Amino acid sequence: MTVVALGLPTTASAAAAPPDTPSDGPLRDRFGRIVTDLRVSVTDRCNLRCTYCMPAEGLDWLPTDEVLSTDELIRVMTVAVRDLGIRSIRFTGGEPLLRRDLEHLIGAVAGLPERPEIAMTTNGLGLARRIDGLVAAGLSRVNVSLDTVDPQRFAEITRRDRLDDVLSGLAAARDSALRSVKVNAVLAGHEDLARLPDLLTFCLDHGYQLRIIEQMPLDADHRWNRSAMVTAEEILAVLRSHFTLLSDPRPRGSAPAATWLVDGYDVDGEPARVGVIASVTRPFCGDCDRARLTADGALRNCLFAESETDLRGILRGDLPEKDIDEAIARRWRGNVWTKAAGHGVNDPDFHQPTRPMSAIGG
Ligand code: SAM
Ligand code: SF4
């Protein structure tokens, strides 16, 4: 079988943090932004092959011994919460449910004295079986990715005939004790605009909050092109032609989604909302509060970062045990300190990062 090499950055750096890096306190950058939200990719593997994310043949997965172990992940997340001011952790992948220790990871984070909010982004396959254990461990929010409720189109986009599994995962999440169930949708092409009203109707009928994300240049095939991307403006025009959208009085804060109330609908007694994440056409980098950890232990201070900072070397190196946490914190402060002002996707000299979305986690 042909596999596409993951092409991981060669720039994962073990270099010392820049000299002007703050030596204590939360994770801050030179522009005054403070990072409080951590995305943890627990595996680069996936059981779907969404066209805008993965090649049909899959990728050359990370060897198991390069992926952070349960204990290593717990150690890094503990430093993040205890020493670096992280207040929310979102587990992602690849597909996070492919990791058998996910309940254990969630339980460990939920047991920290300053318990962060714990969320997960998943494609929903196998969620129905595991949702109760995940919630019992401490999961409080879930986003399930679902781009269409048309079975044929679902199979074309994901290259797998698994729509029923995703729908049963979603239903199980709704019937669990979770506080919020969101649906993430990426429109793979302009032809999907015509199907969007059905997707929103489905979400409104079932009590899920829909978020539509502009497709970003993070596909492993490097096929993204601006003219094929469905823009937030096009998405909103279609939504407005089928629904009455009212401005949302709730402040947006650092949330990437701009949201609207959908007139005439409510979810659990609250007005129903729909959100659009205009990552490309209306970047929200000025309010970004995120850090990302890859499955092989690299820190990324932006989805589009061209370089990474290695933590695995510290975890597996020869530092005395008592110095490891401090070394992780120092390197992490340096990584965030050098975060760029913006993602640069709209700059003429933009380069797509080598690490694809499936190995970053979104
Ligand atoms: N496998 C899980 C899933 O699909 O939810 C988690 C990982 S996936 C990379 C996280 C999110 O990124 C999904 O909602 C997916 O739709 C989104 N995504 C993947 N490729 C994307 C791209 N090129 N542009 C925008 N969003 C993308
Ligand atoms: Fe897998 Fe998620 Fe990427 Fe789809 S978007 S291929 S489900 S990692």
Side-chain angles (χ1 to χ4, degrees):
M1 182 174 76
T2 316
V3 286
V4 175
L6 194 51
L8 296 182
T10 50
T11 43
S13 147
D20 57 339
T21 304
S23 56
D24 56 12
L27 293 167
R28 58 179 81 238
D29 67 28
R30 290 190 168 112
F31 304 95
R33 293 169 297 189
I34 297 189
V35 165
T36 55
D37 180 33
L38 173 62
R39 314 263 146 157
V40 180
S41 167
V42 290
T43 178
D44 61 323
R45 295 172 192 239
C46 193
N47 38 16
L48 295 183
R49 297 286 182 273
C50 305
T51 50
Y52 46 76
C53 183
M54 284 236 189
E57 315 78 24
L59 289 161
D60 205 356
W61 310 128
L62 287 164
T64 311
D65 63 348
E66 291 185 15
V67 173
L68 295 192
S69 67
T70 312
D71 289 347
E72 288 171 332
L73 275 168
I74 292 172
R75 183 165 202 161
V76 172
M77 292 189 290
T78 301
V79 172
V81 172
R82 186 192 60 206
D83 304 333
L84 296 172
I86 290 297
R87 295 287 163 262
S88 55
I89 293 187
R90 176 172 294 272
F91 291 94
T92 176
E95 174 43 46
L97 291 172
L98 292 181
R99 191 122 177 185
R100 272 184 252 153
D101 59 356
L102 191 59
E103 290 80 354
H104 185 69
L105 292 170
I106 290 173
V109 175
L112 293 173
E114 295 205 46
R115 176 185 177 149
E117 179 169 88
I118 305 170
M120 171 174 67
T121 302
T122 171
N123 64 25
L125 300 186
L127 182 62
R129 274 195 309 283
R130 288 175 70 182
I131 189 70
D132 290 337
L134 293 163
V135 174
L139 184 72
S140 60
R141 294 175 187 274
V142 72
N143 288 42
V144 177
S145 300
L146 173 67
D147 303 333
T148 176
V149 284
D150 174 333
Q152 195 185 331
R153 183 63 182 149
F154 178 92
E156 280 167 15
I157 294 172
T158 64
R159 302 182 175 114
R160 299 288 185 273
D161 186 11
R162 305 290 301 271
L163 176 61
D164 287 347
D165 296 312
V166 179
L167 298 185
S168 52
L170 263 169
R174 181 198 52 213
D175 295 342
S176 74
L178 281 182
R179 274 192 286 133
S180 153
V181 179
K182 290 185 182 152
V183 166
N184 285 5
V186 172
L187 299 192
H190 282 93
E191 71 267 36
D192 293 302
L193 275 170
R195 297 185 183 89
L196 184 54
D198 283 350
L199 180 62
L200 179 53
T201 302
F202 168 83
C203 290
L204 294 168
D205 287 348
H206 291 82
Y208 312 136
Q209 290 189 47
L210 178 63
R211 299 277 183 270
I212 306 130
I213 310 167
E214 279 182 346
Q215 195 183 132
M216 293 179 270
L218 288 168
D219 56 311
D221 288 330
H222 289 231
R223 291 217 181 116
W224 180 91
N225 78 76
R226 193 170 291 272
S227 57
M229 179 190 72
V230 184
T231 65
E233 202 178 330
E234 292 167 320
I235 290 164
L236 279 167
V238 167
L239 293 179
R240 286 200 163 103
S241 66
H242 289 76
F243 302 89
T244 303
L245 302 188
L246 307 172
S247 65
D248 188 344
R250 207 160 62 183
R252 178 167 168 183
S254 59
T259 54
W260 287 264
L261 307 184
V262 188
D263 194 27
Y265 292 87
D266 65 86
V267 173
D268 297 334
E270 285 231 359
R273 290 182 162 83
V274 63
V276 179
I277 302 183
S279 324
V280 175
T281 59
R282 294 178 211 165
F284 33 85
C285 305
D287 292 318
C288 179
D289 62 356
R290 292 186 180 177
R292 292 178 168 84
L293 176 71
T294 67
D296 53 341
L299 291 171
R300 297 182 63 81
N301 58 24
C302 175
L303 271 176
F304 297 94
E306 288 190 53
S307 67
E308 301 180 338
T309 301
D310 173 55
L311 292 187
R312 196 182 58 201
I314 301 178
L315 291 160
R316 299 185 184 175
D318 50 13
L319 275 181
E321 171 63 26
K322 67 176 179 42
D323 295 337
I324 291 180
D325 288 0
E326 178 52 30
I328 291 171
R330 200 176 325 119
R331 202 172 279 180
W332 206 326
R333 288 197 183 94
N335 172 270
V336 171
W337 189 242
T338 57
K339 179 170 168 139
H343 61 40
V345 172
N346 300 311
D347 297 349
D349 58 350
F350 170 73
H351 291 295
Q352 181 166 339
T354 40
R355 197 186 280 265
M357 185 63 132
S358 62
I360 303 174

